[in-house]
């Protein structure tokens, strides 16, 4: 118990809460956009547009941030992140309010691209600001809090609030807060400021990480996923994802203690 207390006291709680805000905000908007697609398009089209095309746009956004940071190591990430947050706030309005499937898809793809950009920057902040003994808990704890928060939003009117245009009244102020926190807390450092030296990442490490994500996604979707037809039948995906919160915290804690144990748990899950 004392070990847990020391670890919690040593955590960067500001960073953890910021990650929770970023992931919770982007995932809430994504789920509201998915509901909009279900209304405007067929179930199968909504699945392809969201779970295939939308996720690919997110991957492109994260990859773009990684390339930008690689080629501009002395640049301050705060301003690009602030611009991405502003653009996200602007784009999510037509993505959630448009009355045509084509419009929802087009604005939604840009929104998903910006979701990936935002994720790329907070992943950079975790790598640059946190030592290797705390990164797992900051990442897993932030995602867990976000998962619980979005689940609680889904309880309001059985998802009616989360899947209505009123969600913008919550999202837009949170976008401003999301952009403000790194500037106030120094989470996205300017050039010349002290940073935790990042671990050296090889092509082999990247390939292994991609393989793990791909395999876990395939295994999860073989047994159960959240296709639009299930949502139309009354399933509330935000509540069904709540067990992720427990697994994310456990994964962060185990990986921070020993990465080999974390990989063993991943293999056991597969």
């Amino acid at each position: 118990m004392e070990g847990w207390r020391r670890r919690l006291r040593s955590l960067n709680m500001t960073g953890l809460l910021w990650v929770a805000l970023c992931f919770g905000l982007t995932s809430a908007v994504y789920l509201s956009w998915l509901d909009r697609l279900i209304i405007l398009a067929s179930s199968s089209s909504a699945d392809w547009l969201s779970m295939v095309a939308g996720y690919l746009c997110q991957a492109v956004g994260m990859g773009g941030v990684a390339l930008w940071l690689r080629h501009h190591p002395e640049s301050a990430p705060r301003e690009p992140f602030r611009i991405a947050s502003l653009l996200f706030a602007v784009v999510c309005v037509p993505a959630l309010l448009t009355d045509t499937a084509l419009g929802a898809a087009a604005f939604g793809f840009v929104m998903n691209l910006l979701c990936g950009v935002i994720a790329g920057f907070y992943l950079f902040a975790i790598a640059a600001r946190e030592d290797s003994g705390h990164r797992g808990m900051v990442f897993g704890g932030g995602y867990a809090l976000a998962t619980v928060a979005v689940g609680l939003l889904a309880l309001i009117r059985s998802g009616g609030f989360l899947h209505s245009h009123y969600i913008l009244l919550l999202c837009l102020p949170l976008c401003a807060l999301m952009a403000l926190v790194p500037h106030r807390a120094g989470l996205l450092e300017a050039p010349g400021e002290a940073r935790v030296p990042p671990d050296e990442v090889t092509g082999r490490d990247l390939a292994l990480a991609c393989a793990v994500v791909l395999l876990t996604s395939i295994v999860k979707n073989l047994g159960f996923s959240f296709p639009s037809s299930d949502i139309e039948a009354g399933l509330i995906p935000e509540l069904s994802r709540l067990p992720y919160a427990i697994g994310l915290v456990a994964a962060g804690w185990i990986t921070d203690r020993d990465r080999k144990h974390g990989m063993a748990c991943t293999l056991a899950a597969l």
Side-chain angles (χ1 to χ4, degrees):
M1 181 63 72
E2 185 58 33
W4 269 96
R5 290 173 180 171
R6 286 197 301 269
R7 186 169 291 273
L8 287 173
R9 284 196 296 267
S10 63
L11 275 178
N12 179 3
M13 292 304 298
T14 302
L16 188 152
L17 292 173
W18 180 60
V19 171
L21 173 61
C22 292
F23 177 64
L25 176 59
T26 53
S27 61
V29 172
Y30 172 87
L31 290 167
S32 296
W33 172 68
L34 171 59
D35 190 73
R36 192 69 181 162
L37 285 178
I38 295 172
I39 295 172
L40 298 174
S42 65
S43 296
S44 60
S45 296
D47 286 336
W48 278 99
L49 290 171
S50 60
M51 299 182 69
V52 179
Y55 283 173
L56 286 174
C57 289
Q58 292 182 28
V60 170
M62 283 188 280
V65 170
L67 288 174
W68 184 83
L69 290 169
R70 181 179 180 86
H71 292 291
H72 300 84
E74 301 303 320
S75 300
R78 282 190 297 231
E79 286 306 315
F81 177 79
R82 190 178 301 173
I83 293 171
S85 301
L86 175 62
L87 290 175
F88 178 80
V90 171
V91 171
C92 72
V93 174
L96 300 184
L97 295 183
T98 185
D99 290 327
T100 66
L102 180 61
F107 287 112
F109 291 159
V110 178
M111 180 210 53
N112 275 278
L113 179 71
L114 292 168
C115 284
V117 170
I118 291 168
F121 279 119
Y122 67 67
L123 290 172
F124 163 79
I126 293 173
R129 290 286 298 169
E130 308 299 330
D131 62 66
S132 58
H134 295 135
R135 290 172 189 162
M137 279 299 291
V138 169
F139 177 77
Y143 267 48
L145 282 177
T147 302
V148 172
V150 175
L152 292 176
L153 283 177
L155 291 176
I156 303 175
R157 295 172 52 202
S158 298
F161 173 74
L162 184 62
H163 296 154
S164 71
H165 60 272
Y166 293 111
I167 190 67
L168 291 171
L169 298 177
L170 178 64
C171 289
L172 295 180
L174 289 180
C175 283
L177 180 61
M178 180 175 68
L180 182 64
V181 170
H183 176 73
R184 298 293 185 184
L187 296 174
L188 293 170
E189 301 272 343
E193 294 179 334
R195 289 176 179 168
V196 177
D199 295 334
E200 185 66 27
V201 178
T202 66
R204 183 180 178 183
D205 296 329
L206 182 60
L208 179 61
C210 291
V212 168
V213 172
L214 177 62
L215 285 172
T216 52
S217 298
I218 290 173
V219 171
K220 174 180 73 69
N221 288 323
L222 284 174
F224 185 66
S225 62
F226 301 119
S228 301
S229 57
D230 286 344
I231 296 176
E232 289 181 315
L235 180 132
I236 302 177
E238 299 84 6
L239 298 179
S240 301
R241 293 170 61 193
L242 288 179
Y244 280 151
I246 301 172
L248 286 164
V249 172
W253 183 75
I254 293 170
T255 304
D256 283 344
R257 289 173 62 89
D258 192 305
R259 292 186 182 181
K260 291 182 179 179
H261 291 167
M263 182 56 66
C265 290
T266 302
L267 293 174
L270 288 171

